């Protein structure tokens, strides 16, 4: 890839730097370049690392109460310490590491993390905050090394590091018990490792080459294991790898055997290794969380039977369903609940004023139903009555055990969901009408097959109308006790909303089997946990009065997030990026596009550049191109997401934007300054430009640092406030 242009136009997103020339025997030689003295490398790296740790650990104990999402992730760390099962929409690695940090630092897992503002009192929370601050501090030297590798310019790396050190947003996210610093640590670790193994292209299969390739795979597993958005960096590395292999394919000095070795090495290190580590994370997750907890209801009955303390753990029940059995039916949609009824009626004007049927998320006697033949109201406890098993395709009747009313549907509209039919409890002592008849079907089974407890996924089809019993997931108003709506849907599409399984099964006339034989295997629970997480993510919608944002808000720093406090007596922390840095990044993206387009067109037209300018062009188009692609992949997918979004989702993309700023301004100022042979006056343009940018960054941090380290006293609208005059946008709420 000698140039950054293609036949169709300028290609500004180069995947990697040029390969070093090869010798006749197939080995490569690195281009000779002057080496900086050791102090030129270690002194700036040590300085920026020291400043990063100082800014992140300063006032780490403040405020000594729960802030923002600490209520979630601190609580989940406690669950790991107590081995209590819970549900979250993200993979487990981040929470496991938080729990481990708390455990190693002496936290006993007893703090409830109920709501923001709760005082920590005597509980040791500093270990978990310190762990997140440590990883947040590591972002700075990692980004420094990445930019240094791509640009070969320590001033560009220092500028990038300074922007991260003095950005109030990154400081705030690093100082609390959150997943963001953990995610970003693995993300930039993967990018640095990718850049490093690219730089070892002239020494394929050497020890450094294998080290950085394997470390890339490890970091990819870490990013995916913290949040699903880690897949964006997987895509970035994937694009880089495809381009790398394509370039190798065009190298005629390489044999097909060597090409095969390159391909297999990347498959092993960038696919097999990350997947193995990712799977191992879940194995540890399931092994540690072996006690029943608040996450049970989100998972299937078979999954729950694994958990110590769950009512399905180590119990024995009849395996096959028979007429006369007392059962509970659990909906298979996430948080679908158990089929439930109670004495209360639907209110006037909402269909027929008959007994309510809902889905309830907790164990309750009102979840019990008796399964009977549709045309027979017999006493199934009579020993002389033969045992008859329920089979796929049978027409049955479900009688509510507590109220003796039948599960019923008719041509009245459901209370909340339009075009769905109402489901009620109807009849007296099991006597009703033909609208009480349901045909039971098992997914993937043939007519005449028996129905198994836990394992069989069943559908209940209303005989009279042809609709299917389901849970919509919508919460009923207070008249429905805020339980979940159950309807009969006319749409035949097979979804978890319309699938059920038998959980509890009571029939003294049948032999019991241990549920241990019905426990799902590890691959099954791994697949189920991912299905639940994906449905959970897609179901995240904004709550009432909740502050959310749109992706176009983020690069312009349009609106922040309150971490702590709302009035002049509170200790207030507000998540907002340093506006000078963020707006500089936004300007730089435009500057980069202009410069890259101009240089690509110039190279395409055969314009002869000086040797120094050719090197700068290569840095901008290849090094800057990789970073620009990273920014695009970590930002634009959010425009297509239907879930609720928040300001902090932009910070991974902000890392790439900041690295791009360091590279772009370094190249821009060097172009303005001219080649090294020019006068000292012109070289001063570069030095003064860099110093001016650094001073501007540090001064803006001096102004806005109270956002991260806490504000007390008058609000910014008060002239006596230290933040007076700094509310540059009306949408900033500090």
């Amino acid at each position: 890839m000698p140039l950054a242009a293609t036949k169709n136009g300028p290609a500004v997103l180069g995947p990697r730097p040029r390969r070093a020339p090869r010798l006749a025997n197939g080995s490569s030689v690195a281009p000779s370049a002057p080496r900086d003295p050791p102090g030129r490398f270690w002194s700036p790296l040590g300085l920026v690392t020291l400043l990063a740790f100082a800014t992140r650990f300063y006032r780490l104990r403040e405020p000594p109460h729960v802030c923002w999402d600490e209520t979630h992730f601190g609580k989940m760390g406690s669950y790991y310490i107590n081995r209590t099962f819970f549900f979250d929409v993200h993979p487990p690695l981040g929470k496991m590491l938080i729990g481990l940090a708390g455990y190693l630092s002496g936290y006993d897992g007893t703090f409830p993390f109920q709501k923001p503002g709760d005082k920590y009192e005597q509980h040791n929370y500093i270990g978990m905050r310190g762990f997140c601050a440590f990883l947040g501090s590591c972002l700075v030297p990692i980004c420094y090394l990445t930019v240094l590798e791509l640009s070969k310019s320590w001033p560009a790396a220092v500028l990038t590091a300074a922007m991260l050190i003095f950005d109030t947003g990154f400081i705030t996210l690093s100082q609390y018990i959150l997943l963001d610093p953990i995610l970003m640590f693995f993300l930039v670790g993967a990018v640095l490792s990718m850049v490093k193994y690219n730089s070892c292209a002239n020494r394929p299969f050497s020890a450094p080459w294998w080290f950085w390739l394997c470390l890339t795979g490890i970091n990819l597993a870490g990013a995916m294991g913290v949040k699903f958005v880690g897949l964006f960096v997987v895509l970035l590395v994937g694009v880089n790898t495809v381009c790398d292999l394509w370039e190798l394919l065009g190298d005629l000095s390489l044999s097909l055997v060597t090409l095969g070795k390159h391909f297999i090495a990347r498959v092993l290190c960038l696919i097999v290794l990350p997947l193995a580590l990712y799977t191992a994370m879940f194995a540890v997750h399931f092994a540690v969380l072996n006690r029943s907890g608040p996450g049970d209801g989100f998972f299937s009955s078979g999954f729950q039977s694994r958990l110590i303390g769950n009512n399905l753990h180590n119990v024995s029940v009849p395996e096959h369903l028979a007429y006369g059995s007392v059962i509970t039916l659990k909906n298979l949609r996430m948080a679908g609940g158990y089929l439930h009824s109670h004495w209360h009626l639907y209110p006037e004007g909402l269909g027929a004023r008959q007994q309510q049927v809902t889905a309830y998320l907790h164990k309750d006697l009102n979840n019990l139903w008796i399964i009977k033949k549709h045309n027979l109201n017999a006493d199934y406890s009579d020993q002389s009555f033969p045992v008859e098993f329920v089979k796929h395709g049978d027409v049955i009747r479900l009688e509510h055990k507590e109220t003796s009313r039948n599960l019923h549907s008719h041509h009245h509209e459901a209370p909340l969901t339009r075009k769905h039919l109402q489901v009620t409890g109807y009849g007296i002592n099991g006597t009703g009408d033909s609208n009480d008849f349901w045909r039971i079907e098992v997914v993937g089974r043939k007519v005449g097959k028996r129905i198994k407890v836990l394992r069989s996924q069943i559908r209940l089809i209303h005989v009279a109308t042809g609709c299917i019993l389901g849970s919509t997931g919508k919460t009923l108003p207070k008249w429905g006790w805020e339980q979940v709506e159950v309807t009969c849907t006319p749409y035949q599409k097979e979804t978890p909303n319309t699938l059920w399984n038998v959980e509890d099964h009571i029939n003294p006339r049948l032999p019991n089997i241990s549920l241990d034989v019905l426990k799902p295997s590890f691959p099954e629970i791994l697949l189920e946990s991912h299905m639940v997480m994906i449905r959970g993510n897609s179901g995240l919608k904004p709550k009432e009065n909740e502050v959310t944002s749109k992706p176009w808000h983020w690069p312009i720093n349009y609106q922040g997030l309150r971490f702590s406090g709302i009035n002049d007596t509170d200790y207030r922390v507000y998540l907002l990026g340093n506006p000078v840095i963020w707006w500089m990044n936004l300007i730089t993206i435009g500057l980069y596009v202009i410069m890259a387009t101009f240089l690509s067109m110039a190279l395409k037209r055969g314009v002869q550049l000086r040797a120094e300018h050719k090197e700068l062009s290569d840095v901008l188009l290849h090094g800057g191109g990789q970073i620009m692609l990273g920014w695009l992949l970590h930002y634009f997918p959010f425009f297509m997401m239907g879930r609720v979004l928040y300001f902090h989702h932009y910070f991974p993309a902000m890392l790439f934007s900041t690295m791009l700023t360091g590279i772009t301004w370094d190249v821009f100022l060097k172009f303005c300054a001219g080649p090294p042979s020019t006068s000292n006056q012109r070289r001063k343009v570069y030095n003064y430009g860099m110093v001016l940018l650094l001073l501007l960054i540090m001064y803006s941090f001096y102004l806005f640092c109270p956002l991260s380290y806490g504000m007390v006293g008058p609000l910014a609208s008060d002239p006596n406030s230290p933040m007076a005059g700094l509310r540059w946008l009306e949408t900033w709420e500090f």
Side-chain angles (χ1 to χ4, degrees):
M1 188 174 287
L3 295 180
T6 66
K7 292 182 180 180
N8 297 323
V12 299
L13 301 179
R16 49 167 296 177
R18 296 180 195 169
R19 186 174 301 280
R22 293 186 177 276
L23 298 178
N25 61 5
S27 62
S28 304
V29 291
S32 60
R35 291 181 175 272
D36 286 334
R40 182 70 66 88
F41 174 82
W42 291 110
S43 298
L45 177 60
L47 177 62
V48 298
T49 303
L50 181 63
L51 287 174
F53 276 81
T55 53
R56 271 64 179 170
F57 278 83
Y58 177 65
R59 302 187 73 172
L60 189 62
R61 290 184 176 274
E62 302 296 331
H65 60 247
V66 178
C67 293
W68 196 51
D69 271 358
E70 283 189 323
T71 186
H72 299 304
F73 303 119
K75 183 185 297 181
M76 292 171 189
S78 298
Y79 285 144
Y80 278 106
I81 293 172
N82 297 316
R83 308 193 68 174
T84 303
F85 187 77
F86 67 94
F87 164 71
D88 186 42
V89 297
H90 305 300
L93 180 61
K95 284 94 62 179
M96 280 198 291
L97 293 175
I98 288 172
L100 179 63
Y103 177 77
L104 294 177
S105 61
Y107 170 59
D108 58 6
T110 58
F111 186 72
F113 286 97
Q114 289 183 338
K115 64 182 184 301
D118 288 351
K119 298 284 187 182
Y120 283 115
E121 303 295 349
Q122 78 280 3
H123 295 276
N124 187 356
Y125 62 97
I126 198 65
M128 292 183 284
R129 279 193 183 175
F131 170 71
C132 294
F134 175 81
L135 295 188
S137 303
C138 289
L139 298 179
V140 175
I142 294 175
C143 288
Y144 173 94
L145 292 172
T146 302
V147 172
L148 184 64
E149 187 66 41
L150 290 172
S151 67
K152 307 301 180 187
S153 169
W154 69 264
V158 168
L159 178 61
T160 297
M163 296 175 74
L164 292 175
I165 290 169
F166 298 117
D167 182 72
T168 52
F170 278 107
I171 292 174
T172 304
L173 278 184
S174 299
Q175 288 195 308
Y176 298 94
I177 307 170
L178 302 172
L179 296 185
D180 300 86
I182 308 174
L183 169 68
M184 291 188 286
F185 171 80
F186 287 112
L187 187 155
V188 295
V191 174
L192 174 61
S193 303
M194 178 189 74
V195 169
K196 282 287 190 180
Y197 93 74
N198 281 343
S199 70
C200 295
N202 59 322
R203 294 173 292 157
F205 309 113
S206 63
W209 187 88
W210 278 113
F211 172 79
W212 291 112
L213 189 62
C214 290
L215 191 59
T216 303
I218 293 169
N219 281 307
L220 291 180
M224 289 190 302
V226 177
K227 281 188 176 184
F228 283 128
V229 293
L231 290 170
F232 298 153
V233 76
V234 174
L235 185 57
L236 174 65
V237 173
V239 170
N240 175 82
T241 304
V242 169
C243 294
D244 189 29
L245 291 173
W246 182 253
E247 185 178 347
L248 289 170
L249 186 64
D251 189 342
L252 300 182
S253 66
L254 296 179
S255 67
L256 290 178
V257 173
T258 304
L259 284 173
K261 290 179 180 178
H262 276 282
F263 178 77
I264 292 172
R266 285 157 176 80
V267 169
L268 290 176
C269 295
L270 301 180
I271 297 178
V272 176
L273 178 61
L275 287 178
L277 293 174
Y278 183 76
T279 304
M281 293 172 203
F282 278 89
V284 174
H285 170 71
F286 295 134
V288 172
L289 302 184
N290 63 352
R291 301 182 184 278
S292 179
D296 294 17
F298 292 91
F299 289 81
S300 67
S301 307
F303 187 100
Q304 293 181 44
S305 67
R306 304 172 53 257
L307 302 173
I308 299 171
N310 189 282
N311 68 313
L312 297 176
H313 182 69
N314 283 343
V315 300
S316 298
V317 297
E319 182 179 10
H320 295 103
L321 203 60
Y323 289 104
S325 294
V326 178
I327 63 172
T328 61
L329 288 172
K330 188 176 189 301
N331 189 256
L332 297 189
R333 83 180 304 276
M334 189 193 69
Y338 297 92
L339 187 65
H340 177 97
S341 188
H342 41 234
W343 286 103
H344 303 279
L345 307 181
Y346 285 101
E348 195 73 43
L350 291 176
R353 190 167 166 76
Q354 296 175 5
Q355 186 168 294
Q356 295 176 17
V357 172
T358 63
Y360 189 46
L361 295 174
H362 305 283
K363 307 283 187 178
D364 190 280
L365 291 176
N366 281 324
N367 300 340
L368 297 174
W369 300 82
I370 306 171
I371 187 166
K372 296 188 174 184
K373 286 195 168 185
H374 71 286
N375 56 358
L376 185 64
N377 197 8
D379 181 9
Y380 291 96
S381 62
D382 186 352
Q383 295 295 322
S384 63
F385 199 85
V387 173
E388 187 174 353
F389 291 101
V390 182
K391 298 176 181 177
H392 172 88
D394 284 2
V395 177
I396 64 167
R397 179 166 50 85
L398 285 175
E399 181 182 311
H400 190 239
K401 190 173 187 301
E402 292 296 307
T403 63
S404 298
R405 299 190 189 276
N406 297 324
L407 186 69
H408 178 98
S409 188
H410 44 218
H411 287 286
H412 290 274
E413 194 169 73
L416 300 182
T417 306
R418 297 186 60 189
K419 298 184 179 179
H420 285 212
L421 302 184
Q422 183 187 38
V423 177
T424 67
Y426 178 75
I428 300 175
N429 294 325
T431 302
D433 60 23
S434 60
N435 281 330
D436 304 339
F437 301 159
W438 302 82
R439 185 170 66 256
I440 188 168
E441 294 185 351
V442 183
V443 175
R445 301 295 293 274
K446 296 180 179 179
V447 174
K449 293 292 183 180
R450 294 181 182 180
I451 296 171
K452 291 184 177 181
V453 174
L454 297 186
R455 288 288 193 175
S456 295
Q457 297 182 0
I458 64 176
R459 300 194 307 167
L460 292 170
I461 301 173
H462 193 240
V463 174
T465 63
C467 62
I468 305 173
L469 185 74
S471 168
T472 64
K474 297 178 181 178
T475 302
L476 294 168
K478 289 186 177 180
W479 57 258
W481 305 94
E482 297 182 342
Q483 295 174 11
V484 180
E485 181 190 38
V486 167
T487 68
C488 200
T489 170
Y491 307 111
Q492 298 294 318
K493 185 178 179 182
E494 192 175 283
T495 68
N497 297 45
T498 58
L499 295 178
W500 307 77
N501 72 278
V502 178
E503 185 170 289
D504 296 293
H505 183 203
I506 304 168
N507 194 324
R509 302 185 62 193
L510 296 176
N512 292 341
I513 64 163
S514 172
L515 286 185
D516 286 344
V517 302
L518 301 179
K519 285 181 180 178
S521 62
F522 174 73
E524 288 175 319
I525 62 178
L526 182 65
L527 178 62
E528 179 181 351
S529 64
H530 279 78
M531 295 299 295
V532 172
M533 285 189 291
I534 291 169
R535 289 202 295 266
N537 263 301
S538 62
L540 288 175
K541 304 298 179 187
K543 300 173 184 176
E544 189 175 353
N545 298 324
E546 188 175 18
V547 177
T548 61
S549 61
K550 295 180 174 59
W552 69 266
H553 291 170
W554 303 339
I556 62 176
N557 218 18
Y558 180 77
Q559 188 177 30
L561 278 169
R562 287 197 190 100
F563 264 50
S564 174
I566 57 174
N567 56 51
D568 57 0
T569 61
D570 291 334
Y571 187 94
R572 303 187 303 279
V573 176
Y574 190 71
L575 175 65
L576 187 75
N578 184 326
V580 171
I581 293 174
W582 283 58
W583 295 341
M584 185 191 301
N585 282 353
L586 193 59
I587 293 169
T588 302
I589 290 171
L591 177 63
Y592 174 82
V593 171
I594 294 170
M595 290 177 64
T597 303
F598 177 80
L599 285 172
S600 296
M601 293 175 65
L603 291 170
K604 189 68 173 177
R605 296 293 297 171
V607 175
Q608 296 300 313
L609 301 177
R610 294 190 184 97
E612 298 86 353
H613 287 170
K614 283 183 179 179
E615 291 179 4
L616 292 175
S617 300
D618 195 60
V619 167
L620 189 75
L621 295 174
H622 290 106
Q626 290 184 70
I627 300 302
M628 183 68 176
L629 179 60
W631 178 76
L632 292 170
L633 291 176
H634 284 80
Y635 177 45
F636 280 94
F638 286 102
F639 285 93
M640 297 177 283
M641 291 186 184
R643 57 155 289 172
V644 60
L645 297 173
Y646 303 99
F647 175 51
H648 70 101
H649 287 135
Y650 182 68
F651 278 80
M654 180 66 181
L655 285 170
F656 289 95
S657 179
T658 304
M659 288 189 283
L660 183 67
T661 297
I663 293 172
T664 303
W665 280 97
D666 178 71
V667 172
F668 177 75
L669 290 173
K670 283 178 178 176
F671 267 113
C672 293
S677 59
T678 57
S679 66
N680 289 334
Q681 287 295 112
R682 296 196 64 187
R683 291 298 299 164
K684 288 180 180 178
V685 172
Y686 177 81
N687 296 330
Y688 287 160
M690 278 292 179
V691 170
L692 179 62
L693 290 174
L694 290 172
L695 290 176
L696 187 62
I697 289 166
M698 287 187 283
Y699 181 67
S700 62
F701 173 72
Y702 167 76
L703 294 176
F704 287 96
C705 65
L707 296 176
S708 298
Y709 296 133
M711 301 168 282
V712 291
L715 303 177
S717 55
D718 191 316
N720 297 320
S721 170
M723 302 300 292
L726 294 177
R727 193 162 173 253
W728 297 347
L729 293 181
E730 289 294 325
T731 49
W732 296 351
E733 298 172 315
F734 56 79

